[in-house]
Amino acid sequence: MLKVLILAGGSGTRFWPLSRRSRPKQLLALEGDRSLLRATFERLAPLVPPRDIWVCTTEALESAVAEQLAEVPRSQILAEPQGRNTAPAIGWSLVSMPREARSAPVAVLPADHRVADGDGFRKILATAAEIAASSERVLTLGVRPRWAETGYGYLEVGQLEDRLSGLRRVIRFVEKPGAESARRFVASGDYLWNAGIFVFRGTALLRHLERCQPEITAGLERIAADPASLTEAYAAMPSISIDHGVMEKLDDLGTLPLDCGWSDLGSWGALWDVLDKDGSGTAARGQVVDFGGGGNLLWADEGTIAVLGVKDLVVVRTGDAVLVVPRERAQEIRRVVSELEERGRDELL
Amino acid sequence: MLKVLILAGGSGTRFWPLSRRSRPKQLLALEGDRSLLRATFERLAPLVPPRDIWVCTTEALESAVAEQLAEVPRSQILAEPQGRNTAPAIGWSLVSMPREARSAPVAVLPADHRVADGDGFRKILATAAEIAASSERVLTLGVRPRWAETGYGYLEVGQLEDRLSGLRRVIRFVEKPGAESARRFVASGDYLWNAGIFVFRGTALLRHLERCQPEITAGLERIAADPASLTEAYAAMPSISIDHGVMEKLDDLGTLPLDCGWSDLGSWGALWDVLDKDGSGTAARGQVVDFGGGGNLLWADEGTIAVLGVKDLVVVRTGDAVLVVPRERAQEIRRVVSELEERGRDELL
């Protein structure tokens, strides 16, 4: 009975130069040989048949997404006229689903995350679906923190409500913390990483959306009344995330703890964390000559990378560009992309 | 009256991935837009007309060299059947010159060095030619050391023989010294860098060669008697440098001090030393996005290089490869080339 909505509209730049506007992260095979989108779909397959899967993406990516998910009915691949962040995307996707589908529990999840333990993941999703089916409750999955990560948001959680499922109430959302706070959060046991994976009955979420984001609901009603107004109405909706726009405003948001090797793969550094590494701690892809000092991520998409005497670096080579950045600073490469935008180097974006 | 022999047969690997077998260092434009070979030729032009210039190169490079030095008579571009180091190359080139040319002073110089002050360089060459013309003396030009370089050989010199020219006798050759010795050498004022630039009457050098390297002379005589034996006779000659094979064995080798911004450009690091740099100490060529910490050499022969948060690195990008190495370790890249040879990656060599 669980329906799934995969959010596949991201145009992230955090894997530049490999990721491009026309080939964003979710379409990349960062681990193994399947794209993150395809891996997400296959992870769901044992639990959710393709006819119960919807995908929200952008017009630019629509055909690539459809090609990768040939099993999903074409009408269920929804293309936003433009990206307006996750609250409009989720709202519009829900109203685009048939009434009986959105009355069922719906899991909303990003197309570009990593999950090592698919069984564990599906088990939690199924449990969340059961809880959501029998209530108006919105659930967010929280990842048990494995280290004091400062790159994730955290959920502060309350007392155990149900021993069997592990259900707890979310007390508050915490933005990316400093190192000291992160250590405290992890030590306390009262915090989970915010994974951005939600389960709710679609109709329940739409009621919350109406209360919290009436402008979005108004836009969705306008689109429903006049489908030709889609582009204009979409552009007029506030661009806001579902976290900020709805989840943080809920009184009884629930959470289930996820313990399945999750990563948002938010940077080349985060990818290095999860890739297989050699004895020196270097992860390599493609043609590489490695006389480095270890701890490197060497990614030769085209051509050959040779390193000597460097360590803890990310070196990525594509047919037209190369990036060199310390692993610990890989999250800053947005600056490189911005600079290329300013220079009008569209062919590299 | 001065004749010149340019040694342009090198197949150095120290500028990999930019330098390749078919495009070695002397054919690269490492400073400005002329190749080092062409710059060497043009540096000589005010002093030596093209008809007095000979070039020794390899068969593989012959046509590229001839193309770059169109002014030099084609018959004076000599192609060795194989590289046997500088002693055979110089001996064979001298016997290939007309008798009256090799009776004159001949300057032998590498095609791939850098000289900032062409006037000063020509002045020293002319002085050396005068001394050589009126004696049997062999001269080597020694560079006044500007720092305690451990990558060069040194010449220990004796007392001033002639105040006007600065002529001194070379007491001994010193191989690349350790840091401590190098500091002592520079502080003493009694040492010069060995630049590998020689001036002598060709006939005099051939007499020294006969005494020091009779096998080479025998090979040259065989070639003279039977030109068809060139390839075989060449292969049979000992592969030895003119420094080891002849210069170090001379009793009265003379030297003139050179003070003209000389560098052998022996590595990417040495190139960085002489290139124009920005305020952060970074030298860049080609399409570069630089958020680095300074002191980098960023060389984009094709495509774009983006760096962030790295310093004192060499990053070189060609159409098929990229090299990342700390500037201070750039002289070790021979290891990378050897590894590529072992893997049979001939297309990268």
Side-chain angles (χ1 to χ4, degrees):
Chain A
M1 70 182 170
L2 176 64
K3 314 298 178 192
V4 165
L5 170 61
I6 299 175
L7 301 178
S11 60
T13 55
R14 291 188 289 185
F15 283 85
W16 188 89
L18 197 62
S19 64
R20 302 293 170 98
R21 285 172 179 160
S22 63
R23 193 178 63 168
K25 179 185 162 201
Q26 62 270 26
L27 298 181
L28 300 177
L30 293 178
E31 258 191 302
D33 52 8
R34 296 169 307 166
S35 73
L36 293 172
L37 171 66
R38 183 70 200 176
T40 299
F41 171 81
E42 293 184 7
R43 186 180 308 127
L44 294 164
L47 182 67
V48 186
R51 67 170 182 277
D52 287 339
I53 292 178
W54 280 257
V55 185
C56 183
T57 187
T58 62
E59 289 175 359
L61 303 178
E62 187 180 6
S63 65
V65 166
E67 196 176 312
Q68 293 209 358
L69 305 184
E71 300 92 331
V72 174
R74 192 65 176 75
S75 64
Q76 290 171 207
I77 292 172
L78 311 168
E80 295 179 283
Q82 68 170 136
R84 300 297 289 168
N85 211 330
T86 49
I90 292 169
W92 178 64
S93 298
L94 290 173
V95 300
S96 302
M97 291 163 71
R99 186 173 305 268
E100 66 275 22
R102 66 172 182 259
S103 302
V106 179
V108 177
L109 42 90
D112 60 354
H113 288 180
R114 179 224 196 218
V115 169
D117 171 14
D119 280 340
F121 180 75
R122 287 183 293 270
K123 210 170 137 205
I124 295 286
L125 266 195
T127 303
E130 269 177 51
I131 296 170
S134 59
S135 72
E136 287 291 277
R137 199 120 188 226
V138 174
L139 297 175
T140 179
L141 303 191
V143 176
R144 247 194 267 276
R146 284 162 290 164
W147 60 84
E149 174 64 49
T150 56
Y152 292 147
Y154 284 72
L155 307 169
E156 185 182 352
V157 298
Q159 286 194 313
L160 199 59
E161 291 186 19
D162 178 67
R163 186 160 304 274
L164 203 62
S165 65
L167 180 66
R168 293 171 191 264
R169 194 169 66 81
V170 173
I171 295 173
R172 62 172 183 133
F173 281 69
V174 187
E175 296 280 344
K176 295 174 185 177
E180 180 48 41
S181 298
R183 272 193 296 275
R184 198 160 40 79
F185 292 171
V186 174
S188 74
D190 295 333
Y191 290 80
L192 300 173
W193 289 339
N194 177 13
I197 302 171
F198 305 101
V199 183
F200 43 68
R201 289 178 58 227
T203 44
L205 196 280
L206 287 171
R207 278 190 289 275
H208 291 303
L209 190 67
E210 182 168 16
R211 183 170 54 81
C212 301
Q213 300 295 330
E215 284 185 85
I216 294 179
T217 300
L220 297 178
E221 284 169 355
R222 185 177 159 201
I223 294 165
D226 175 14
S229 72
L230 175 63
T231 301
E232 199 187 321
Y234 220 87
M237 287 197 275
S239 177
I240 189 168
S241 74
I242 195 77
D243 294 65
H244 282 307
V246 177
M247 299 300 166
E248 292 179 8
K249 301 179 192 297
L250 300 183
D251 289 330
D252 68 342
L253 179 67
T255 185
L256 295 182
L258 203 56
D259 220 346
C260 58
W262 174 90
S263 167
D264 77 345
L265 297 179
S267 69
W268 285 111
L271 178 62
W272 176 88
D273 283 334
V274 305
L275 288 179
D276 288 338
K277 289 171 274 288
D278 67 17
S280 77
T282 286
R285 175 81 78 101
Q287 293 291 344
V288 164
V289 177
D290 179 17
F291 291 108
N296 296 304
L297 172 52
L298 308 176
W299 191 288
D301 187 51
E302 282 186 39
T304 296
I305 291 174
V307 299
L308 189 154
V310 294
K311 58 182 199 172
D312 300 329
L313 281 191
V314 172
V315 181
V316 183
R317 192 193 189 288
T318 61
D320 52 6
V322 65
L323 169 73
V324 183
V325 61
R327 241 176 50 224
E328 295 299 319
R329 298 188 59 182
Q331 70 281 6
E332 298 177 39
I333 65 170
R334 172 74 211 167
R335 292 168 64 193
V336 171
V337 177
S338 299
E339 175 66 21
L340 291 169
E341 281 169 358
E342 262 177 45
R343 293 190 196 172
R345 300 289 308 277
D346 283 355
E347 77 282 9
L348 291 177
L349 298 172
Chain B
M1 68 181 171
L2 176 65
K3 314 298 178 191
V4 166
L5 170 61
I6 299 174
L7 300 178
S11 61
T13 55
R14 291 187 288 185
F15 283 85
W16 188 89
L18 195 62
S19 64
R20 303 293 170 96
R21 284 172 180 161
S22 63
R23 193 178 64 168
K25 179 186 162 200
Q26 62 270 27
L27 297 181
L28 300 177
L30 294 177
E31 261 190 299
D33 52 7
R34 296 169 307 167
S35 74
L36 294 173
L37 171 64
R38 182 71 200 174
T40 298
F41 170 80
E42 293 185 5
R43 185 181 309 127
L44 294 164
L47 183 67
V48 186
R51 68 171 181 276
D52 288 338
I53 292 178
W54 281 257
V55 185
C56 183
T57 186
T58 62
E59 288 176 0
L61 304 178
E62 187 181 3
S63 64
V65 166
E67 196 175 311
Q68 293 209 359
L69 304 184
E71 300 92 332
V72 174
R74 192 66 176 72
S75 64
Q76 292 172 205
I77 293 172
L78 310 169
E80 294 180 283
Q82 68 169 136
R84 300 297 289 167
N85 212 328
T86 49
I90 292 170
W92 178 63
S93 298
L94 290 174
V95 300
S96 301
M97 290 162 71
R99 187 173 303 269
E100 65 275 22
R102 67 173 181 260
S103 302
V106 179
V108 176
L109 41 91
D112 60 354
H113 288 180
R114 178 227 196 217
V115 169
D117 171 15
D119 279 337
F121 181 74
R122 286 184 293 270
K123 209 171 139 206
I124 295 286
L125 266 195
T127 303
E130 267 176 53
I131 296 170
S134 58
S135 72
E136 286 291 277
R137 200 123 187 222
V138 175
L139 297 176
T140 179
L141 303 191
V143 175
R144 247 193 267 276
R146 283 162 291 164
W147 61 84
E149 174 65 49
T150 57
Y152 292 147
Y154 285 71
L155 307 170
E156 185 182 351
V157 298
Q159 287 192 313
L160 198 61
E161 293 185 20
D162 178 70
R163 187 162 304 275
L164 202 64
S165 64
L167 179 67
R168 292 171 192 264
R169 195 167 65 81
V170 174
I171 295 174
R172 61 173 184 132
F173 281 69
V174 187
E175 296 279 344
K176 294 176 186 177
E180 181 47 43
S181 299
R183 271 193 295 275
R184 197 160 41 77
F185 292 173
V186 174
S188 74
D190 295 333
Y191 290 80
L192 299 173
W193 289 340
N194 177 11
I197 302 173
F198 304 102
V199 182
F200 44 66
R201 290 177 58 224
T203 44
L205 196 278
L206 287 171
R207 278 190 290 272
H208 291 303
L209 190 68
E210 183 169 16
R211 183 170 54 82
C212 301
Q213 299 296 328
E215 283 185 86
I216 293 179
T217 299
L220 297 178
E221 284 169 355
R222 184 177 160 201
I223 294 165
D226 175 14
S229 72
L230 175 65
T231 301
E232 201 188 320
Y234 219 87
M237 287 197 275
S239 177
I240 188 168
S241 73
I242 196 77
D243 294 65
H244 283 308
V246 177
M247 299 301 166
E248 292 179 10
K249 300 178 193 298
L250 300 184
D251 289 330
D252 67 342
L253 180 67
T255 184
L256 294 183
L258 203 56
D259 221 347
C260 57
W262 174 91
S263 167
D264 78 345
L265 297 179
S267 69
W268 285 110
L271 178 61
W272 176 88
D273 284 332
V274 304
L275 287 179
D276 287 338
K277 291 172 272 289
D278 67 16
S280 78
T282 285
R285 176 80 79 104
Q287 293 290 343
V288 164
V289 177
D290 179 18
F291 291 108
N296 297 303
L297 172 52
L298 309 175
W299 191 287
D301 187 52
E302 282 186 39
T304 296
I305 292 173
V307 300
L308 189 154
V310 295
K311 57 181 200 172
D312 300 328
L313 281 191
V314 172
V315 180
V316 183
R317 191 192 190 288
T318 60
D320 52 5
V322 66
L323 169 73
V324 183
V325 62
R327 242 176 49 224
E328 294 298 319
R329 297 188 62 182
Q331 70 280 8
E332 296 177 41
I333 65 170
R334 171 74 210 169
R335 292 167 64 192
V336 170
V337 177
S338 298
E339 175 66 21
L340 291 168
E341 281 168 358
E342 261 178 46
R343 294 190 196 172
R345 299 289 308 279
D346 282 355
E347 78 282 10
L348 290 178
L349 297 172

